[in-house]
Amino acid sequence: MKSIAKWKNVLLGLTAVLILFSTLRFEKLDEVRARANVGAFDPEAFARDFWEQELINSLDEAVDLGTLMEMLEQNPGAAFDEHSNAVGIGNIRFFFVSGSGTLQQIGENALTLSLEGKENLPSVNLATEYIFGNAVRDGSGKINIQDFDNTMDFNKVSEALNAIVRTEVLPPLKQGATPDRSIRFTGAIEMNRSQVNLAELEVIPISIDFENNPDETAN
C-alpha cells in the first residue's frame, strides 16, 4: 500500500510539473529585449531637446539661400556636395538654409518671397500648411540614424519636429504676414538631385523674424 501511495504522489507531482511547463512561454532573448524597449523611446522629448539645444542654436550655420540658388544654377553638383545632407545614398537631399525676402503673395499653402538683393533669382515659398517629410530632421545633418535602435523611432522624430513647426512656427508667421513685409527666415529644403527646379523651391520654416512692422511699409 505504501508503494502504491508513493507512486500516486510521484504521478501527481509529474502531472503538476507538466501543467506548469505547459503554461510557460519561451522566447528568444532579442524578442524579450525588443518588447521591453517598446515605449522607452520618447520622440517628442527627443525632438524638443534637439530643437532647443541644437537646431535653434545652430541657425548661423545655415547656408544663404540666394548664394545656394546661384550655385545650383551654375554648378549643381558642387552645391549638393558642399551643402546638402542625406541619410541614404539616393537623390533626395536636404539643405539647411537662411535668407531675407519681401513678401509678395500670401497663398493658401505658402508665402511667396522675393529674395533680398537677388532679383535675378526666382521667388521662393515658405510653407505654411503642409509640413511633412524629413527636411527639418535631416536638413542640418545633426541627427545620425546610427544613434537609433530602429527606423521607426527615427521617423517618429521627424513627425515630432514637424509638429513643432506646425504649432509654434507657423501661427506667428501667418499672423504677421502682410504684403511687402520683410521676413528673415531659416529653414529646411528637400530637393531631388536629379530634378533641380528653382522655380518650385519651398522652404519649411524653422525660425522667422519680421524685419519691419506692417504700418512701416505704408509710409
Side-chain angles (χ1 to χ4, degrees):
M1 296 295 293
K2 290 183 179 181
S3 177
I4 294 174
K6 179 181 178 180
W7 280 110
K8 284 185 177 180
N9 291 334
V10 171
L11 289 173
L12 289 174
L14 289 173
T15 302
V17 169
L18 289 173
I19 293 173
L20 177 61
F21 185 85
S22 67
T23 63
L24 295 178
R25 180 183 175 185
F26 294 94
E27 297 180 349
K28 294 180 180 179
L29 182 58
D30 57 351
E31 294 177 349
V32 175
R33 287 175 175 171
R35 191 174 70 254
N37 287 331
V38 172
F41 179 72
D42 187 339
E44 286 76 20
F46 182 97
R48 174 60 61 184
D49 183 72
F50 171 71
W51 182 278
E52 295 180 353
Q53 302 302 322
E54 294 193 58
L55 191 59
I56 296 302
N57 290 327
S58 62
L59 298 181
D60 58 351
E61 298 177 15
V63 61
D64 178 75
L65 180 55
T67 301
L68 176 64
M69 291 174 70
E70 290 175 338
M71 196 172 183
L72 285 167
E73 286 184 333
Q74 301 164 9
N75 192 344
F80 276 90
D81 291 342
E82 294 180 23
H83 299 295
S84 71
N85 295 294
V87 173
I89 60 175
N91 286 325
I92 301 301
R93 312 286 294 185
F94 304 95
F95 295 89
F96 190 39
V97 300
S98 64
S100 294
T102 301
L103 182 54
Q104 295 179 320
Q105 182 178 350
I106 302 174
E108 184 177 350
N109 303 319
L111 304 179
T112 302
L113 306 175
S114 59
L115 291 178
E116 181 180 349
K118 301 292 183 180
E119 291 77 12
N120 59 312
L121 294 174
S123 300
V124 299
N125 294 319
L126 290 183
T128 57
E129 188 64 30
Y130 300 111
I131 307 299
F132 56 89
N134 302 318
V136 178
R137 184 194 68 192
D138 298 337
S140 66
K142 293 183 177 297
I143 297 182
N144 191 338
I145 190 174
Q146 302 301 326
D147 295 334
F148 294 82
D149 292 334
N150 55 73
T151 56
M152 183 180 294
D153 289 345
F154 191 53
N155 291 331
K156 285 182 178 179
V157 169
S158 274
E159 297 173 8
L161 288 170
N162 292 340
I164 293 176
V165 173
R166 285 192 294 267
T167 59
E168 299 180 20
V169 180
L170 295 189
L173 176 60
K174 292 179 179 180
Q175 184 177 7
T178 55
D180 297 323
R181 195 168 190 190
S182 296
I183 302 175
R184 174 74 184 172
F185 63 87
T186 302
I189 295 174
E190 176 180 326
M191 192 178 299
N192 190 321
R193 188 168 189 153
S194 65
Q195 300 174 2
V196 177
N197 187 351
L198 299 183
E200 298 181 358
L201 209 59
E202 184 175 76
V203 180
I204 295 180
I206 293 172
S207 173
I208 58 102
D209 181 32
F210 290 103
E211 298 182 336
N212 57 337
N213 295 318
D215 55 352
E216 289 180 358
T217 59
N219 297 328

